[in-house]
Amino acid sequence: MAEYRNPTGVSALRAALTAVMCGILVTGIGVTVIWDGRGWPGEVYTTARLISSSETPLRANRQGTYYEFQYAVPDGRQVVLSEMVTSSGSLYRDGDSVTVLYSPDAPEQGRLWVSRGGAEFLPALGGIALAIVGLWGVIHELLKRRRRRQVTARA
């Protein structure tokens, strides 16, 4: 019986291993996105007051809204910052209370926390799914090779 040759030259095992590695990489990126959105260890949440907001001009490279907000740090200082949030973030009105994340070591470098409605979990979940599919492919290919060896040994 003639042995089947893959005309593409890429083995199924190699493709499955590539899927596993890509899945792990995408999962790592997804976890970074989650941490960035939810705050890194050591960052502090505080409530700020939105002072003003203005949308970027239509011809700007990045579309979004500039928010200027003010918050107090534990030593009593008031910090005023502005930040641009893309249109995918939630929108606020002047005078609203917003959540700000900042490091106690550098309270002047705070950032507005914007809820993405759970979308920050999509890269991590996609990476996990890709890794599982790749792992299934690896196991399937290894079992297929094992069966082939057993059939060849009996013959």
Side-chain angles (χ1 to χ4, degrees), residues 26 85 88:
V26 171
V85 176
S88 64

Side-chain angles (χ1 to χ4, degrees), residues 17-91:
L17 285 171
T18 302
V20 169
M21 289 186 304
C22 288
I24 291 170
L25 178 67
V26 171
T27 301
I29 291 170
V31 168
T32 303
V33 168
I34 292 169
W35 266 351
D36 190 44
R38 304 262 180 210
W40 290 93
E43 282 189 321
V44 177
Y45 286 91
T46 189
T47 303
R49 186 175 56 82
L50 191 63
I51 299 171
S52 66
S53 60
S54 61
E55 293 196 22
T56 57
L58 290 176
R59 295 182 184 209
N61 288 339
R62 280 184 67 198
Q63 295 293 314
T65 305
Y66 280 99
Y67 293 110
E68 189 171 281
F69 49 94
Q70 177 179 5
Y71 60 97
V73 292
D75 64 9
R77 290 182 295 144
Q78 294 290 320
V79 178
V80 178
L81 292 175
S82 68
E83 182 176 339
M84 187 179 94
V85 176
T86 59
S87 56
S88 64
S90 58
L91 301 174

